[in-house]
Structure formats: C-alpha cells, structure tokens
Amino acid sequence: MAITLEDIGQEICEPVSGLSTKVYYSLHSDYDTIVDPADICGDNEGTDFASLVTIPAPGHTLKTGKRMWQIDIVEETGKVNSPMIGEKKRRLFENSIEISIAGSEAKMLGFLRWIKNQSLVFYVEEFGTGNIRQIGSKRLAAWVEGAEHAIEAVIEGNNSATITLKDKQKWPAAIYEGDIVLTPVV
C-alpha cells in the first residue's frame, strides 16, 4: 500500500452543512468515459487519503451532443448520506442524496415518471465547502430509490416532490473536480 498516512480533522474553521439549490444529472450512457477515484491498491493506486475519494479535473468525458441537466431544489432540504454497508472485511458505502423539488407542474411530475428507472450520474454542491459531490460511477450508475409527491391540505403546507437517489461504491459520495457541462459537447 502506497497511501501516505496523514493527520486529519479540524481543516475548516467554519464547518457548515447544507447543499446549494442546484442539482445536476446526466444519463450514465451519455458518457464516453467516467473517471473513478483512485484505488487503495492496483493499477490506479492512490497516494494519499484525498485521492481515494476525489475525481480529479478534467473529470469525465461526455459524448458529442450530450450535456448535464440542472434541477432547482428547495433550499435547506437536500442532504448527502454515506453509511457503510456489508459484512466485516467486505464493506462498501451506500451513498444517497435526498432532494426536494417545489411545485406540481406537469413538467416536474413527468420528470418523476421518467427518472424512476434510469441509470444516472448525479452531482450536488456542498454549501460550506463548494465541493461537488457525485453519486454514480464507471461501473455502477446511480438510481432512484424513492420518489414521492405530496400536496398537503393546508394552503401553506407542502407542495413538492422528495426524491432519494442512491448508489453503492467503495468510497463515500466522491468529490468531483471536473466541469459541470450545461451546453452540448461539440
């Protein structure tokens, strides 16, 4: 193992939580190449702790004519969670992103129908650090674990969709350092 052991913790003077109000997604099949974080051992071996969870720039390569898409989410509703799963000596991370989208427009409800069985890659921006967190990888796309739309009875109540996105990886939701591509690749 060539990983350099390092002291960790207390790196941020104001560790704040939350996600920005934008989520980006793309079809897994829209990529020519998807880059994963370095491995602990093997041909793509990492050199330090950060390399084990970082996808360095320039990042992934989209196919010609393809791009990433944007979703506006309700402020202070999105969250990223990366618990470990599996048996001892065979553990993985089950990454999830939960987001809420306001409203009940036909376009958004149609999106809920479309997204339910797709193989995807999702990106969210951390509010505090600006890190772009990704779920979905070269070998295993992200999927929709659950989607629920609710309109509450009271006028000031909830009118939104809550979507839970998941993947399973060797790493917690990766930090993506490449570009978010919002115009078609030429």
Side-chain angles (χ1 to χ4, degrees):
M1 177 177 6
I3 298 295
T4 303
L5 298 182
E6 308 170 66
D7 293 325
I8 59 170
Q10 301 301 319
E11 298 172 10
I12 301 171
C13 66
E14 290 185 287
V16 297
S17 190
L19 301 178
S20 74
T21 58
K22 305 280 187 218
V23 173
Y24 306 96
Y25 71 96
S26 49
L27 285 166
H28 192 266
S29 61
D30 283 352
Y31 291 91
D32 273 331
T33 59
I34 296 178
V35 179
D36 288 341
D39 291 324
I40 291 177
C41 54
D43 294 339
N44 181 30
E45 191 170 324
T47 56
D48 57 20
F49 290 151
S51 67
L52 299 178
V53 73
T54 302
I55 299 166
H60 314 315
T61 307
L62 285 157
K63 293 178 180 175
T64 301
K66 301 300 180 182
R67 58 170 273 198
M68 298 172 183
W69 301 88
Q70 177 179 297
I71 303 169
D72 292 327
I73 65 171
V74 178
E75 293 175 6
E76 298 188 65
T77 61
K79 72 178 187 176
V80 177
N81 197 23
S82 296
M84 282 194 300
I85 60 170
E87 297 177 17
K88 185 168 57 172
K89 302 289 186 183
R90 296 188 302 152
R91 300 204 192 271
L92 295 173
F93 288 92
E94 184 175 65
N95 300 304
S96 66
I97 297 174
E98 184 178 296
I99 59 172
S100 291
I101 307 170
S104 58
E105 294 78 19
K107 183 177 177 180
M108 193 269 291
L109 296 172
F111 173 73
L112 293 180
R113 181 178 180 191
W114 176 82
I115 198 173
K116 68 183 177 191
N117 293 314
Q118 298 294 336
S119 295
L120 301 156
V121 180
F122 275 89
Y123 308 87
V124 296
E125 182 181 353
E126 292 181 30
F127 176 78
T129 64
N131 287 336
I132 304 293
R133 302 294 294 275
Q134 173 189 311
I135 64 171
S137 69
K138 180 182 350 184
R139 292 191 181 123
L140 185 63
W143 68 88
V144 175
E145 183 68 17
E148 178 180 345
H149 186 265
I151 301 175
E152 291 182 350
V154 294
I155 294 172
E156 71 276 10
N158 183 29
N159 178 359
S160 67
T162 301
I163 303 171
T164 303
L165 314 154
K166 285 194 172 184
D167 78 357
K168 294 179 186 179
Q169 305 295 345
K170 295 183 277 185
W171 50 84
I175 296 173
Y176 180 69
E177 295 181 339
D179 292 331
I180 300 296
V181 181
L182 297 176
T183 56
V185 174
V186 290

